[in-house]
Amino acid sequence: MPKGVTKITAFIIRRLLQTVVVLIVMAFGVFVSVYAIGDPVDMLIDPAATEAQRLEAMRNLGLDRPLWEQFARFIAGAAQGDLGQSFVYKIPAIELILLRLPATIELTVAALILAVGIGIPAGILAGLYPSAWFSRTIMSVSILGFSLPSFWIALMLIMIFAVALGWLPSTGRGDVVTVFGVDWSFLTIDGLRHLVLPALSLSLIPMALMIRMARAGMREVWLTEYVKFARAKGLSPIRVIGLHAFPNTLIPIITVLGLELGSLLAGSIVTEVVFAWPGIGRLVIQSIGVLDRPVIVAYMLITVSLFILINLVVDLLYAVIDPRVGYGDARK
Amino acid sequence: MAGRQSSPILEVERLRTHFMTRAGIVKAVDDVSFAISAGEIMGLVGESGSGKSITGLSIMRLIDVPGRIVGGRIRFRGEDLAAAPEQRMRALRGSRIAMVFQDPLMTLNPLLRVGTQMAEAITAHNREVSRTEARARSRDALGRVGIPAPEERLDAFPHQLSGGMRQRVAIATAILNEPDLIIADEPTTALDVTIQAQILHEIRKLCRQTSTAMIWITHDFAVIAGLAGSISVMYAGRIVEQGHLDDILDRPLHPYTRGLIRSVPSRNRRGRPLHQIQGSPPNLLALPGGCAFRDRCPHTDDVCNAEPDLELVRAEQAARCFHPQLEALA
């Protein structure tokens, strides 16, 4: 046992060190690209300002220093948890993002729950009865989920459920409850109603993916001898499917789920804009518009960290699911 | 022919299992009949694709779409399994009829411990058995198939065991509920020869002790010799020869059976090239009319364009052939 634990610890440490390198390289990339796009000062000050005012503003923001020095200062600050102040809001960028992050997490998690809760059972069903009419329906729906652009689906949902039927609200988070200083919509009825449409629209692509993966996995696993053997033991269909077949399809499913969770957290931008959902996606779009570099960098660092963290958890889950997975050094 | 003394425990009558594929109907099992009594071991012999595994799966009623049992009866202790409801089949599977599969590396679920996979075969059929008792019975079964330190093996995952061990686990699982019939689908094919011999020895012992009947599916006469009492040889979904093992080994009637037996290496023909049957198994989607073995047979003539029946040629030895070979095998 202790040997296995050491191995996992070494694995996690190795992964975290890689993460630090990735984060530094990425921060540098953002610095260079924002520098290449233009001068934030032009966006921030009054166009009629004098040259002296302009220089003053640049000095205040530290933009008068050469790029390498700005970057070095940023890294020094980041090492102490300070990612700089937003040029626009004049508050720490990290605070700005953490303020908006819960809304995005809430939306993403709700969308993934829908995707998994509907997509996986539907996929299993389609895998078990590949030629039944309902399986064909499920597969057609999943093709639509893949191919229709998400902004269009979002607009259609708004048109049908908010405008025509008037059942659900289409903008904002509705009533929120504050827990541990963070606002949550899903704890109030009104908030939940506000959550339905954006979550549904965001869930369609991952749902289509889950349907396809669960179906393909079930079809493959159903032909294996261990599933036949399980059936030959006279087990109930629920046990054969739930314990012998489905768990053996999980490794690819949670891999994709991890990637989807990461990319939804970082990329629910369109959905957040369409539904006026005050998450980090909308924040970063606004910040890019005014070249608010500290916010952009902080956003990138946080989403990349989340991405890496999620994938680390996924890697650790492999071993929970499959006893054959170990965490030795791959080079050995 | 089988079951001279006691009444048979399993009688398969004119069983037909077909697969409705997009390319046409595959008659994987076509008009197969045989019978086995308690304690008897019957060999079901044939090349890959001859329908022997599908026959086994049909008895278990584990044929998936597009396959279907389209005709015949499977009388197990008087009850027709071909017409039994799924609920009833589930009660019989693993309890009265057990099956062991070919590839020991694939036959156990890689994610579950050996003990879990064994105990569930008990608890699926008897909810009153406690976990401790199911575990104890699993441990005893592992001991009976010759697994050392069975208690520890229960907590092992399949990948921690060798192929031979895993196949023993599968066999131990099959005997947990002391079934009346075990269908063994080439269970030793993937194992090396010494392990094969050990497992054969233990299976014979088990069948004798518990008077369990067994269908041993194989393509290898060397495995079945000395194990089975009677033999059915299948070719292209049909039985082409049926009889007692000794009769068939000494004086096979059907040219196909003769080919199979002569292709087994033997001490008497040391140094000489092995016999091989001309051609390859026919495409079941495009079977020629008449005798299915016609194109590969050295004795074929115009008569073979008609369909032969399975007919008694000698006492208790039947063949599906217009030109049964009567002389003993050299």
Side-chain angles (χ1 to χ4, degrees):
Chain A
M1 246 338 172
K3 200 178 160 200
V5 171
T6 337
K7 263 188 180 170
I8 292 180
T9 315
F11 172 78
I12 294 175
I13 290 172
R14 208 158 50 226
R15 189 58 85 76
L16 291 180
L17 287 178
Q18 289 166 5
T19 305
V20 172
V21 176
V22 170
L23 291 179
I24 292 175
V25 170
M26 204 203 53
F28 185 71
V30 174
F31 261 77
V32 172
S33 50
V34 171
Y35 183 80
I37 293 171
D39 197 336
V41 174
D42 296 338
M43 308 292 230
L44 294 169
I45 58 170
D46 184 355
T50 63
E51 188 59 24
Q53 285 172 313
R54 189 183 142 86
L55 282 175
E56 175 65 23
M58 280 181 80
R59 197 168 307 121
N60 284 340
L61 297 174
L63 294 172
D64 54 335
R65 321 302 305 174
L67 188 66
W68 67 266
E69 196 187 320
Q70 293 179 35
F71 185 67
R73 281 187 180 187
F74 166 78
I75 291 293
Q80 298 162 34
D82 174 17
L83 297 182
Q85 288 226 334
S86 160
F87 296 160
V88 179
Y89 296 93
K90 310 289 179 201
I91 60 168
I94 188 112
E95 203 179 303
L96 200 57
I97 287 185
L98 290 182
L99 216 58
R100 300 284 204 101
L101 192 58
T104 295
I105 290 179
E106 188 171 71
L107 179 60
T108 303
V109 170
L112 272 193
I113 289 175
L114 282 176
V116 169
I118 298 173
I120 285 185
I124 290 178
L125 214 57
L128 288 175
Y129 306 98
S131 46
W133 63 267
F134 54 82
S135 302
R136 291 170 198 275
T137 313
I138 289 170
M139 295 322 286
S140 312
V141 169
S142 90
I143 289 178
L144 286 183
F146 267 128
S147 38
L148 296 178
S150 58
F151 76 88
W152 187 80
I153 289 178
L155 292 177
M156 286 300 122
L157 286 175
I158 291 176
M159 255 181 68
I160 296 169
F161 293 102
V163 179
L165 297 171
W167 290 353
L168 293 164
S170 66
T171 51
R173 292 182 76 183
D175 295 343
V176 293
V177 170
T178 309
V179 180
F180 302 122
V182 176
D183 289 344
W184 298 104
S185 296
F186 76 99
L187 295 172
T188 66
I189 299 287
D190 183 58
L192 270 180
R193 280 164 47 85
H194 279 82
L195 191 56
V196 172
L197 287 184
L200 192 63
S201 124
L202 194 60
S203 76
L204 281 179
I205 287 176
M207 191 187 297
L209 254 176
M210 287 299 108
I211 289 177
R212 304 228 142 220
M213 300 210 55
R215 183 186 109 110
M218 279 308 280
R219 293 208 64 183
E220 190 183 312
V221 162
W222 200 250
L223 300 176
T224 60
E225 285 200 351
Y226 56 80
V227 166
K228 277 224 160 71
F229 191 57
R231 293 165 76 199
K233 284 189 271 193
L235 307 181
S236 68
I238 295 197
R239 193 171 170 98
V240 174
I241 295 166
L243 197 68
H244 289 275
F246 181 63
N248 276 289
T249 68
L250 268 182
I251 294 260
I253 287 181
I254 63 158
T255 307
V256 169
L257 214 53
L259 292 172
E260 280 297 305
L261 178 58
S263 62
L264 287 188
L265 280 175
S268 52
I269 296 175
V270 172
T271 310
E272 286 185 7
V273 170
V274 173
F275 288 97
W277 190 263
I280 53 172
R282 245 170 42 126
L283 173 69
V284 80
I285 282 292
Q286 290 158 358
S287 301
I288 290 173
V290 295
L291 292 178
D292 194 347
R293 191 179 69 198
V295 179
I296 303 173
V297 176
Y299 166 84
M300 296 286 278
L301 292 184
I302 285 175
T303 51
V304 168
S305 304
L306 278 176
F307 216 98
I308 290 170
L309 186 73
I310 291 165
N311 279 296
L312 179 66
V313 171
V314 165
D315 279 341
L316 295 176
L317 275 179
Y318 288 163
V320 175
I321 293 170
D322 193 331
R324 292 168 295 184
V325 174
Y327 292 102
D329 194 329
R331 281 163 299 185
K332 269 182 208 158
Chain B
M1 37 232 51
R4 283 160 296 177
Q5 293 91 9
S6 51
S7 71
I9 193 158
L10 176 80
E11 283 174 283
V12 174
E13 281 170 31
R14 313 197 66 119
L15 174 68
R16 296 191 300 139
T17 302
H18 294 179
F19 287 78
M20 323 303 169
T21 67
R22 227 167 260 186
I25 295 177
V26 176
K27 298 178 177 175
V29 177
D30 203 22
D31 195 15
V32 163
S33 305
F34 56 81
I36 315 169
S37 341
E40 191 191 353
I41 300 181
M42 186 195 89
L44 193 54
V45 189
E47 285 168 295
S48 350
S50 61
K52 50 197 197 312
S53 297
I54 300 297
T55 305
L57 289 171
S58 299
I59 297 169
M60 294 296 281
R61 280 271 303 280
L62 284 178
I63 301 290
D64 287 322
V65 284
R68 195 153 54 87
I69 297 176
V70 294
R73 266 187 267 261
I74 302 165
R75 233 189 283 277
F76 176 69
R77 301 203 303 185
E79 181 181 0
D80 183 14
L81 302 186
E86 174 61 22
Q87 196 79 17
R88 173 69 184 144
M89 280 314 300
R90 215 192 305 150
L92 289 174
R93 276 184 213 132
S95 153
R96 299 333 313 149
I97 312 176
M99 189 156 181
V100 181
F101 292 90
Q102 180 170 1
D103 188 350
L105 301 183
M106 286 300 294
T107 211
L108 298 175
N109 186 336
L111 310 187
L112 298 176
R113 291 179 198 277
V114 166
T116 314
Q117 301 193 49
M118 293 187 73
E120 67 180 359
I122 299 174
T123 47
H125 297 286
N126 188 350
R127 279 157 197 256
E128 275 141 48
V129 181
S130 69
R131 289 179 66 167
T132 337
E133 196 188 334
R135 190 179 162 90
R137 273 171 63 185
S138 307
R139 186 193 54 218
D140 294 346
L142 287 182
R144 276 168 69 196
V145 296
I147 288 186
E151 182 77 43
E152 291 160 35
R153 296 286 181 261
L154 286 179
D155 292 323
F157 284 102
H159 72 276
Q160 293 163 328
L161 306 179
S162 68
M165 278 295 176
R166 284 190 234 183
Q167 198 58 290
R168 281 169 208 258
V169 170
I171 292 167
T173 310
I175 61 170
L176 274 175
N177 293 312
E178 306 197 334
D180 303 312
L181 173 68
I182 296 177
I183 301 168
D185 188 357
E186 308 216 30
T188 59
T189 307
L191 305 176
D192 63 59
V193 188
T194 45
I195 308 288
Q196 207 171 36
Q198 285 173 17
I199 287 186
L200 286 175
H201 172 74
E202 273 147 20
I203 287 204
R204 208 163 32 202
K205 204 170 73 189
L206 287 170
C207 277
R208 216 174 286 145
Q209 283 167 355
T210 57
S211 71
T212 303
M214 181 174 271
I215 299 177
W216 190 281
I217 298 170
T218 182
H219 61 268
D220 188 355
F221 260 104
V223 168
I224 207 79
L227 180 72
S230 66
I231 279 189
S232 296
V233 181
M234 281 189 79
Y235 186 78
R238 300 183 150 198
I239 288 183
V240 294
E241 183 157 3
Q242 212 160 36
H244 295 299
L245 175 82
D246 296 339
D247 295 345
I248 289 186
L249 281 183
D250 291 344
R251 294 183 300 167
L253 292 168
H254 198 284
Y256 177 63
T257 317
R258 295 177 87 84
L260 277 185
I261 294 174
R262 285 173 62 201
S263 61
V264 174
S266 142
R267 240 170 300 188
N268 307 332
R269 294 201 304 274
R270 186 180 292 249
R272 279 189 276 162
L274 282 175
H275 176 75
Q276 96 185 48
I277 303 176
Q278 292 298 316
S280 51
N283 177 4
L284 289 178
L285 270 171
L287 274 184
C291 174
F293 191 58
R294 199 175 47 182
D295 295 341
R296 305 173 72 185
C297 182
H299 308 286
T300 189
D301 61 20
D302 289 347
V303 190
C304 302
N305 291 329
E307 197 129 343
D309 285 323
L310 187 65
E311 284 171 348
L312 277 181
V313 178
R314 297 196 190 94
E316 300 190 334
Q317 190 175 2
R320 191 188 288 276
C321 184
F322 293 114
H323 307 293
Q325 306 297 300
L326 298 171
E327 71 277 15
L329 207 61

